Amino acid sequence: MKLDKNYNKLIKSIDNLVTNEVPLVSNLANLSKILYDSFEGTCWCGFYLCDDEEDAMYLGPFQGPVACTKIPYSKGVCGACVTKKESILVPNVHEFPGHIACYSLTNSEVVVPVIKDEKVVGVIDLDSTNYNNYTNNDVLALEEVANIISRVF
């Protein structure tokens, strides 16, 4: 599937923004805002960063309501994404086994792994109060963003 023109502009602007000249948290903070504003219907957007010693992820920069601060690899959509090393698109989170309700109004979600040297180092997580909010094209765009972000980990 080919990305539409709007996503190509988004990817190009993110590629120009992400740099090793600032700390990781600075890159992720700006990206959380850009992604939050760029994906229609999103009520929460952020990053969870992997800690393999804890077999869990910790909350990184985000936009939206207060979120879970620690998610075990064995729980929820984010955990499944890390374990499977693949993007997960969930049209209805209430039908996802083991879904973690960090924000009770969330109805759909997309989680994309950030992979560096064949290892998941974090995830991009977008939530929506709408059912079926995200598409396969959204996943492709977020995977491109994850590839760009991986260079600053």
Side-chain angles (χ1 to χ4, degrees):
M1 180 181 282
K2 187 176 175 186
L3 288 178
D4 68 31
K5 198 182 311 182
N6 291 332
Y7 282 142
N8 284 327
K9 285 182 185 178
L10 173 67
I11 300 303
K12 185 173 178 148
S13 67
I14 288 172
D15 190 41
N16 290 330
L17 178 70
V18 172
T19 176
N20 283 316
E21 295 174 11
V22 299
L24 175 64
V25 69
S26 300
N27 282 297
L28 297 181
N30 274 335
L31 288 174
S32 68
K33 178 60 175 164
I34 291 169
L35 295 175
Y36 182 85
D37 290 345
S38 298
F39 287 83
E40 193 172 317
T42 296
C43 66
W44 194 93
C45 173
F47 297 90
Y48 281 94
L49 306 176
C50 293
D51 182 339
D52 289 342
E53 290 181 20
E54 294 284 328
D55 286 328
M57 292 165 278
Y58 288 93
L59 181 64
F62 71 95
Q63 300 288 313
V66 171
C68 298
T69 55
K70 182 179 180 181
I71 299 177
Y73 291 165
S74 61
K75 304 271 185 191
V77 181
C78 290
C81 176
V82 170
T83 302
K84 294 180 179 185
K85 289 176 78 170
E86 64 185 35
S87 300
I88 300 179
L89 177 62
V90 184
N92 180 350
V93 296
H94 309 290
E95 295 175 352
F96 189 90
H99 173 256
I100 300 169
C102 293
Y103 180 52
S104 64
L105 299 179
T106 296
N107 288 312
S108 64
E109 182 172 9
V110 59
V111 182
V112 173
V114 178
I115 299 173
K116 175 82 172 199
D117 299 326
E118 299 183 29
K119 179 181 166 233
V120 179
V121 292
V123 299
I124 303 169
D125 182 12
L126 276 70
D127 297 352
S128 177
T129 56
N130 303 321
Y131 291 96
N132 299 301
N133 193 68
Y134 303 105
T135 66
N136 288 326
N137 203 44
D138 295 332
V139 173
L140 289 175
L142 289 167
E143 287 173 346
E144 288 291 325
V145 172
N147 286 334
I148 294 167
I149 295 168
S150 70
R151 71 182 188 222
V152 297
F153 272 81

